[in-house]
Amino acid sequence: MKSSAEPAKIFVQANAFYFANVRLRGNDMPPAHIKVFAGPSLVLSAFASELYFKCLQCIERGRYDKGHNLKNLFRSLSPATRKRIKEKWDADIDRNAGARELIEKQFGERIPADLDWALTAGARGFEELRYSFDPENANSKFFLTELPRMLREVIIEMKPEWSPQ
């Protein structure tokens, strides 16, 4: 099912979730609180990503797809937009290799660096992370924390008039 909306309105709402997460993850968080806020932070990241993807859909085709699956939303974008997002992802992965290594040590498993793997693993992040207490979601993986920032940057490249002054 598809719906229409003004992309600028979707962008504003996505920004609200994105900046709430930026604030939540701020440098002033005491280390003891990191585990407490990790789940809500990941949910905000997943939802901001979903909204930014839907904004991109509206920019490209005037409507957005219903649903939360991040990989499906990514696949629905034009090849040029997908390529730009992947370029940003690849550049960011190099900058954040140290953080990925720490997570790998903590969980004892390798985390592939490619966007396709991350989108496959975290496709249902918004649904699964909200219910992390459910045993069905015990193996959820979400390594898309920085994706909303990248999507936001791609949108601003397409709509520079939306850039903050």
Side-chain angles (χ1 to χ4, degrees), residues 3 16 26 102 109 117 152:
S3 294
L102 286 172
E109 64 181 273
W117 181 90
R152 185 175 186 281

Side-chain angles (χ1 to χ4, degrees), residues 17-18 20-25 29 33-51 68 70 89 103 106-107 111 118 121-132 137-149:
F17 287 97
Y18 170 70
N21 191 30
V22 168
R23 177 69 179 107
L24 182 65
R25 294 172 50 201
M29 184 184 299
H33 293 173
I34 291 173
K35 283 188 177 182
V36 173
F37 291 112
S41 174
L42 294 174
V43 170
L44 289 171
S45 180
F47 194 44
S49 294
E50 176 185 330
L51 291 171
H68 304 293
L70 298 179
W89 177 269
I103 294 169
Q106 180 180 359
F107 291 101
I111 301 169
R124 296 186 60 238
F126 181 66
E127 297 160 297
E128 293 173 348
L129 294 166
R130 290 181 299 162
Y131 303 102
S132 61
N137 297 327
N139 294 320
S140 295
K141 291 178 173 64
F142 191 80
F143 300 107
L144 298 165
T145 308
E146 296 300 320
L147 182 62
R149 176 183 46 77

Side-chain angles (χ1 to χ4, degrees), residues 3-7 54-64:
S3 294
S4 62
E6 293 178 41
K54 290 177 180 187
C55 178
L56 285 163
Q57 288 178 332
C58 279
I59 291 169
E60 290 187 346
R61 53 190 164 118
R63 64 189 188 288
Y64 66 91

Side-chain angles (χ1 to χ4, degrees), residues 69-113:
N69 188 298
L70 298 179
K71 188 164 188 175
N72 290 344
L73 293 169
F74 174 77
R75 285 180 180 162
S76 74
L77 300 174
S78 70
T81 300
R82 289 193 313 262
K83 180 181 180 207
R84 187 66 187 124
I85 293 165
K86 187 174 179 337
E87 289 169 351
K88 288 192 169 289
W89 177 269
D90 290 343
D92 197 69
I93 281 296
D94 292 339
R95 279 192 300 254
N96 291 312
R100 192 173 73 252
E101 289 171 12
L102 286 172
I103 294 169
E104 288 175 342
K105 286 180 185 177
Q106 180 180 359
F107 291 101
E109 64 181 273
R110 187 180 168 281
I111 301 169

